[in-house]
Amino acid sequence: MAAAQELTPTSYIGHHLTNRTISLGESPFWTLHLDTFLTAALLGGIGFGFLWWVVRGATSGVPNKRQAFVEMLIEFVDDQVKGIFHGNRAFVAPLALTVFVWVLLMNAMDFIPVDLAAWFTGNVLQQQEWKPVPTSDINTTFALALSVWALMIFYNLKVKGIGGWTHELFCTPFGSNPLLWILNFLFNAVEYVSKPLSHSLRLYGNIYAGEIIFMLLWMWAATGLVGSVFGGVLALGWAIFHILIVVLQAYIFMMLTAVYMAMAHESH
């Protein structure tokens, strides 16, 4: 009995990285990760509710600290998009801002100690299995990447038309010779398939790995006085370094979104 309850790194990590799921059908495909869905929705509501609240009360005079922060954020994102997307940014810039803020908030959940999050979900929500970091779930990152991919396809069709996009698929980059049509199409197909894969897996891999490192350091800190000292120091150092990872991954995801939208508007 004691052996069955013994805490090991595998059991500890496995417990904290197990999703709270709800089956929506007989097939495993129709399984909803309730923790991911609700946490992501809550963070989206908080983040964009805050932005809406600040913008709604914005004045033309001297801005307060909240308004100055939001204006700086919006200007930063718009400047980044401006350097990539040279058309009308009326949709692309808000899309990039949405992606950046939402992904940043979801990534930042990684800073909450896993045992504190587990205590809250277990005692308050009465849920023993609950992953607090939505972007450590590959379903989240794939859903975001596929949404951007679908928008890219939509704007390819809207800007270039079916004929123009078809011509691009079969006649670039190697030329319009009929003998090269299949080669061109295969080349473009690989590019289109790789975009959502790289877009999603980069974000997922970095956040998931960071969460595992945090868990291992907290386990080390629980082994005794020496482990507490070294584990606490390393955890603090990793948390400081992880701030860069959290922000950088949100920034990269935003920039790739802007790049894909720009590519959809460009003709070859």
Side-chain angles (χ1 to χ4, degrees), residues 57-70:
T59 63
S60 57
V62 178
N64 56 34
K65 293 181 180 179
R66 292 191 303 271
Q67 182 178 337
F69 169 74
V70 171

Side-chain angles (χ1 to χ4, degrees), residues 42-53:
L42 178 62
L43 291 173
I46 291 173
F48 296 106
F50 171 75
L51 293 179
W52 173 83
W53 173 58

Side-chain angles (χ1 to χ4, degrees), residues 32-208:
L32 173 65
H33 287 188
L34 184 65
D35 45 8
T36 296
F37 178 79
L38 292 181
T39 305
L42 178 62
L43 291 173
I46 291 173
F48 296 106
F50 171 75
L51 293 179
W52 173 83
W53 173 58
V54 173
V55 172
R56 185 170 178 267
T59 63
S60 57
V62 178
N64 56 34
K65 293 181 180 179
R66 292 191 303 271
Q67 182 178 337
F69 169 74
V70 171
E71 289 179 353
M72 182 176 64
L73 176 62
I74 293 174
E75 184 177 353
F76 166 74
V77 173
D78 188 60
D79 287 342
Q80 299 304 307
V81 174
K82 188 188 302 183
I84 298 172
F85 188 86
H86 305 296
N88 187 347
R89 303 188 306 278
F91 173 77
V92 178
L95 173 65
L97 176 65
T98 300
V99 167
F100 178 72
V101 172
W102 200 14
V103 173
L104 180 62
L105 290 174
M106 290 190 288
N107 290 352
M109 290 294 289
D110 209 9
F111 293 122
I112 300 177
V114 290
D115 290 324
L116 178 61
W119 176 90
F120 177 80
T121 56
N123 292 277
V124 179
L125 302 180
Q126 299 298 313
Q127 302 292 331
Q128 297 304 317
E129 296 177 345
W130 195 278
K131 284 179 66 174
V133 187
T135 43
S136 68
D137 184 349
I138 197 169
N139 293 279
T140 302
T141 59
F142 257 110
L144 290 170
L146 287 175
S147 297
V148 173
W149 186 81
L151 284 172
M152 182 184 66
I153 299 297
F154 170 78
Y155 277 102
N156 266 298
L157 292 172
K158 181 180 179 180
V159 174
K160 304 167 187 175
I162 296 178
W165 189 44
T166 302
H167 180 271
E168 183 178 285
L169 288 176
F170 285 91
C171 298
T172 58
F174 302 119
S176 58
N177 190 309
L179 296 176
L180 299 174
W181 285 359
I182 294 179
L183 181 61
N184 285 327
F185 177 77
L186 291 175
F187 183 89
N188 286 301
V190 170
E191 180 183 352
Y192 275 95
V193 170
S194 65
K195 284 177 180 175
L197 289 174
S198 62
H199 204 188
S200 60
L201 292 177
R202 179 185 291 105
L203 174 61
Y204 164 73
N206 280 276
I207 301 304
Y208 186 83

